[in-house]
Amino acid sequence: MEFIETNGVVLHCAIQRVEKGPPPLVFINSLGSDFRIWTGVCARLGDGWSTLRYDKRGHGLSEEGTDAYSIGRHADDLIGLLTKTGFDGVVLCGLSVGGLIALEIWRKRPDLVAGLVLCDTAAKIGTAQMWQDRIDLIRKDGIAALAEPVLERWFSSGFRSSCQEQVSGYRSMLVRTALDGYLGTCEAIRDADLTEVLQSITVPTLCLCGDEDGSTPPEVVMDMQEKISGSSFEMIEYAGHLPCVEQPDAIAQLLAQFVAKVHVQGQS
């Protein structure tokens, strides 16, 4: 566990380095979660990988900052973190809003990116009115007012019924997110549309989606994937919006295969 100041905020991160190996994997979390959602995936990948996990500003143990939130600011935070840690030529694995951040980093600093994994995300997520309605409700009643419908989108029906203790824990993660961090990131998603970026992507790209994702359903992710030249799509069975939690074995296997391919292409 480390704390690193960049772009005006102190970010909480976990870093694993190996001397030689495939490109580093950088994990970017969803709204209302912290980097612990990737714990199972990283455990299954093992020690032979360089990895960076971090909490976005206003999430987990990272500072909220005082500036207005935007996808560009979130991207600048991670660009600064990559610079300070010396990671480049990375594979960005962005989940939900993390996918928007990954796309923005590709737009701003393609030199840092060797590959993209866009997980349960889209270049534009939802509508401005949908996000404004969520913002207004949370300002009035708090994050807990939306906790149950969020959890229904996060997790498959089977997981919610059979893993109730874990669902309860992730509910705590959600509702304990800093209010300003959650609302600021909602505003960032509301205002973001990175559709034009998709046609510019020239690095290997893998798109993933849980088959029961209620936030960015498979057809939404597939529509994005079709706009990215040479990209591929994989459906994760028995998973909602956070397949890294429900199906860490499947995610780790797909990531290992994909990054190995990126590594081979980078050496050719």
Side-chain angles (χ1 to χ4, degrees):
M1 186 168 70
E2 299 186 37
F3 294 92
I4 298 176
E5 189 280 329
T6 181
N7 202 30
V9 292
V10 174
L11 299 178
H12 177 221
C13 55
I15 300 170
Q16 176 173 290
R17 298 179 187 270
V18 297
E19 288 299 319
K20 293 182 179 180
L25 264 168
V26 177
F27 296 96
I28 318 173
N29 310 327
S30 58
L31 173 68
S33 69
D34 62 41
F35 69 58
R36 287 174 292 183
I37 65 173
W38 301 104
T39 297
V41 172
C42 287
R44 286 157 177 80
L45 287 171
D47 297 331
W49 300 78
S50 291
T51 59
L52 168 62
R53 294 177 289 154
Y54 79 107
D55 295 338
K56 294 184 301 296
R57 64 168 62 207
H59 287 69
L61 299 184
S62 291
E63 290 183 337
E64 296 171 46
T66 58
D67 299 322
Y69 281 45
S70 67
I71 296 302
R73 179 153 284 118
H74 278 306
D76 288 342
D77 289 347
L78 181 50
I79 289 168
L81 192 57
L82 293 174
T83 300
K84 288 214 167 182
T85 56
F87 279 12
D88 61 6
V90 303
V91 173
L92 296 173
C93 181
L95 173 59
S96 195
V97 64
L100 292 173
I101 295 168
L103 290 172
E104 179 68 4
I105 292 175
W106 167 258
R107 187 182 72 80
K108 288 187 170 189
R109 291 291 307 276
D111 57 297
L112 294 174
V113 183
L116 292 167
V117 180
L118 304 175
C119 187
D120 296 80
T121 188
K124 180 173 176 58
I125 300 175
T127 66
Q129 188 60 54
M130 182 201 81
W131 287 106
Q132 192 59 52
D133 290 345
R134 180 183 291 202
I135 290 164
D136 293 342
L137 178 61
I138 291 172
R139 282 181 176 151
K140 178 176 178 288
D141 297 327
I143 298 173
L146 280 176
E148 302 318 312
V150 167
L151 292 170
E152 289 177 2
R153 293 190 292 269
W154 273 11
F155 300 117
S156 67
S157 56
F159 189 83
R160 295 196 310 273
S161 63
S162 63
C163 301
Q164 294 180 13
E165 291 179 349
Q166 291 189 58
V167 173
S168 177
Y170 283 103
R171 184 186 189 281
S172 295
M173 175 185 287
L174 170 67
V175 301
R176 293 175 186 175
T177 304
L179 185 61
D180 287 345
Y182 192 94
L183 287 173
T185 303
C186 285
E187 292 170 348
I189 301 169
R190 177 196 65 192
D191 299 338
D193 186 350
L194 293 166
T195 303
E196 292 185 359
V197 174
L198 300 178
Q199 294 182 348
S200 75
I201 296 173
T202 56
V203 291
T205 301
L206 171 63
C207 299
L208 305 174
C209 190
D211 62 352
E212 294 186 39
D213 187 337
S215 294
T216 52
E219 60 269 21
V220 171
V221 180
M222 292 172 70
D223 180 69
M224 174 186 65
Q225 181 264 322
E226 289 171 357
K227 294 179 173 66
I228 304 173
S229 178
S231 64
S232 58
F233 174 83
E234 293 286 348
M235 187 91 78
I236 310 301
E237 294 185 340
Y238 312 112
H241 193 54
L242 304 184
C244 51
V245 173
E246 292 193 70
Q247 302 295 340
D249 288 303
I251 296 296
Q253 183 178 12
L254 287 169
L255 286 178
Q257 293 170 349
F258 177 73
V259 177
K261 183 176 74 172
V262 173
H263 188 41
V264 169
Q265 290 185 5
Q267 293 180 321
S268 60

